[in-house]
Amino acid sequence: MKNIKQYHYKKVLVLGLAKSGVVAASLLHQLGAFVTVNDFKPFEENPDAQGLLEQGIKVICGSHPVELLDEGFELIVKNPGIPYSNPIIQGAVDMGLPIITEVELAYQIAEADIIGITGTNGKTTTTTLIFEMLKMAHKQPLIAGNIGTVASEVAQVATSENTMVVELSSFQLMGIETFRPHIAILTNLYEAHLDYHSSWNEYAQAKMNITKNQTPDDYLIVNADQEVLLNLAQTSHAQIIPFSTTRYLENGASIDNGKLIYDQEEIIDISEIALPGAHNLENILAATIAAKLKGVETKDIVTILSTFTGVKHRTQFVSEFNQRRFYNDSKATNILAASSALKAFKDPIILLAGGLDRGNEFEDLIPSLSNVKALVLFGQTAKKLDEIGKKAGIQTIVHVDNVEEAVPTAYELSARGDVILLSPACASWDQYKTFEVRGDIFIEAVHKLEESKNF
């Protein structure tokens, strides 16, 4: 890692812990900053804060007192999940204090090239595909970011021989100053997280921050099927490389006559691609471009595309028994993601859905429900989804308490040849800490059911 000096003797407030805050606080302490950590969780219930105190870092827990701003901090490193409406953040903005997220720290210390991936949907699948392609080609990739591994932690061990493949959320990208990936990817852009962002424009601009510091020596890979993205991309100084699933592109990546084409080279017949779902073709095209830019040979790309079947919790195949196939798409926390998953299957579907009520309606889901023969609903949005199911003409709709109950219920409603799909179209926070927890409970329930049916 680069031994930077800019934080030496600098007073820094790390606001909010979780994994990224812990790593950021420790790193800044190591870089010579005077670090204060502020976390809402009480100290006695906060092992992360206790561990930082043992390192000699000042810790304030139990609330976010605005009076902290009187202590003369020169920088705030904000947990991405803390909104800008937080009183401390609002006060810092009014004072003109710089506010960053830990991905900015990661860039500042990283010796490795960075590939940054953002977008509304498909980030994790694209990130993982790129990582696997680079690994197949012995390019020594490291995976990091919103995918679960803190970027500033990975950056500490990255060398110039590595490439960091980093998934980036809009929350993270709002807090950058100099962050500059050599290759940036915008998978797609739809309305999302408007409970966090003040407007669609703010959300779109946060995503575009991925390219704001790029130069003509860098690359921006962008979805050419979205005019809004093409228009936004014109503000970038990077070399723009488009991809399209709907039309042939002479320069870029596209699907033509059933084949994946990059820069006029046939890469693979799409019938040989192992990852299900038409929506995943966008992710595959974007990943292929990034791999090619990093010098990965076609044969290595083909090996990954013909064997990679998906990322956990993202249209993940779980099991097949008694001629029923079970898929875990717990990451489908919005209508668009659930619609994409539903369109990936031609067989009849038993759909497990529901979760946190963010106030939105589900009318846009109706066109994707044509193949759904039964709904098993849970969570705060069960009633809303029930109404949508009836509008879509679904005759069988059952309410259960949770995902664990939904699995055996769905099985009893199914027949041979059916797909049983968890694709909630909602966040998990009404019942589960994360979508990963929700997905893991689904997987466990499927295996428990399988064992019971094998006796």
Side-chain angles (χ1 to χ4, degrees):
M1 99 178 186
K2 296 176 183 175
N3 185 23
I4 60 175
K5 303 292 186 182
Q6 67 197 73
Y7 295 111
H8 211 56
Y9 301 126
K10 199 167 190 175
K11 287 195 72 174
V12 181
L13 173 64
V14 175
L15 188 65
L17 284 178
K19 291 187 290 186
S20 66
V22 171
V23 173
S26 294
L27 173 59
L28 287 162
H29 182 65
Q30 180 183 340
L31 293 172
F34 297 123
V35 181
T36 297
V37 168
N38 176 221
D39 194 55
F40 194 79
K41 186 186 290 187
F43 181 77
E44 59 273 12
E45 302 171 14
N46 201 327
D48 289 333
Q50 294 167 19
L52 292 172
L53 183 64
E54 289 176 2
Q55 294 180 41
I57 296 172
K58 183 178 178 180
V59 174
I60 298 170
C61 291
S63 66
H64 291 310
V66 179
E67 295 77 18
L68 273 174
L69 294 174
D70 297 333
E71 296 195 13
F73 293 109
E74 300 165 79
L75 173 73
I76 293 179
V77 180
K78 182 183 76 67
N79 182 288
I82 294 177
Y84 283 77
S85 58
N86 177 282
I88 290 181
I89 297 300
Q90 285 187 329
V93 170
D94 292 341
M95 294 168 63
L97 277 179
I99 302 165
I100 65 172
T101 54
E102 61 82 29
V103 294
E104 174 72 12
L105 295 176
Y107 173 74
Q108 291 170 354
I109 66 168
E111 296 179 10
D113 262 358
I114 293 176
I115 300 174
I117 301 95
T118 197
T120 304
N121 292 318
K123 296 184 295 296
T124 300
T125 298
T126 304
T127 301
T128 308
L129 277 167
I130 295 168
F131 172 78
E132 294 296 338
M133 290 172 180
L134 295 179
K135 187 168 71 171
M136 177 61 63
H138 307 290
K139 299 286 186 180
Q140 302 183 51
L142 300 170
I143 197 165
N146 202 45
I147 198 166
T149 309
V150 178
S152 56
E153 182 174 25
V154 175
Q156 293 179 54
V157 298
T159 72
S160 58
E161 299 297 314
N162 299 120
T163 297
M164 286 180 58
V165 188
V166 186
E167 178 185 332
L168 297 159
S169 70
S170 60
F171 303 168
Q172 292 168 313
L173 287 167
M174 281 189 77
I176 65 165
E177 293 182 346
T178 63
F179 180 84
R180 174 191 161 197
H182 179 51
I183 299 172
I185 296 174
L186 273 161
T187 59
N188 47 54
L189 197 60
Y190 301 97
E191 282 198 6
H193 301 303
L194 297 188
D195 54 338
Y196 182 99
H197 297 284
S198 61
S199 66
W200 155 258
N201 286 335
E202 182 185 280
Y203 174 63
Q205 190 52 58
K207 292 295 191 183
M208 284 302 296
N209 277 352
I210 196 170
T211 188
K212 77 171 185 177
N213 296 312
Q214 287 190 296
T215 74
D217 293 328
D218 302 316
Y219 300 93
L220 174 61
I221 300 168
V222 65
N223 188 338
D225 292 333
Q226 289 196 306
E227 188 174 352
V228 63
L229 272 186
L230 285 179
N231 291 336
L232 287 168
Q234 299 311 307
T235 64
S236 174
H237 297 293
Q239 300 175 55
I240 298 171
I241 304 182
F243 64 88
S244 172
T245 63
T246 62
R247 66 185 189 276
Y248 173 70
L249 299 176
E250 190 170 296
N251 298 306
S254 55
I255 305 297
D256 187 55
N257 291 324
K259 298 184 184 298
L260 190 160
I261 312 292
Y262 170 71
D263 201 18
Q264 303 178 50
E265 176 193 0
E266 291 185 4
I267 304 295
I268 189 173
D269 193 298
I270 61 172
S271 64
E272 299 173 15
I273 294 173
L275 186 62
H279 64 291
N280 277 316
L281 290 176
E282 290 184 354
N283 309 324
I284 288 165
L285 289 169
T288 298
I289 297 172
K292 279 290 188 178
L293 290 175
K294 293 298 293 184
V296 178
E297 294 183 15
T298 298
K299 64 178 178 65
D300 293 324
I301 293 172
V302 169
T303 297
I304 296 304
L305 293 182
S306 59
T307 57
F308 180 82
T309 56
V311 181
K312 192 175 183 183
H313 308 301
R314 293 153 181 87
T315 325
Q316 171 201 3
F317 174 72
V318 176
S319 185
E320 179 175 359
F321 57 92
N322 294 341
Q323 296 182 36
R324 281 90 161 166
R325 286 174 292 146
F326 292 79
Y327 287 86
N328 165 30
D329 193 42
S330 184
K331 180 60 171 68
T333 57
N334 58 49
I335 294 168
L336 178 66
S339 296
S340 296
L342 287 163
K343 292 173 185 175
F345 301 100
K346 296 180 180 179
D347 294 320
I349 297 169
I350 314 296
L351 177 63
L352 284 59
L356 181 72
D357 190 347
R358 281 175 157 160
N360 59 296
E361 304 301 327
F362 293 89
E363 296 286 339
D364 291 344
L365 191 62
I366 291 176
S368 304
L369 297 175
S370 59
N371 216 32
V372 174
K373 63 183 281 188
L375 281 174
V376 182
L377 305 175
F378 47 83
Q380 292 177 354
T381 57
K383 185 177 179 180
K384 286 184 176 181
L385 287 165
D386 187 311
E387 294 171 358
I388 292 301
K390 288 173 181 173
K391 286 185 181 181
I394 299 171
Q395 300 297 314
T396 305
I397 302 175
V398 179
H399 292 235
V400 295
D401 288 338
N402 51 47
V403 169
E404 190 173 17
E405 287 185 19
V407 171
T409 301
Y411 180 86
E412 294 304 320
L413 297 172
S414 68
R416 293 176 184 273
D418 288 352
V419 167
I420 296 174
L421 171 67
L422 171 68
S423 193
C426 303
S428 62
W429 304 321
D430 60 331
Q431 292 183 303
Y432 305 102
K433 185 176 181 181
T434 64
F435 72 83
E436 292 96 339
V437 171
R438 179 172 63 188
D440 287 339
I441 288 171
F442 173 79
I443 292 169
E444 185 178 346
V446 170
H447 292 320
K448 186 176 180 180
L449 177 67
E450 184 175 10
E451 289 175 6
S452 71
K453 297 300 179 184
N454 283 335
F455 287 104

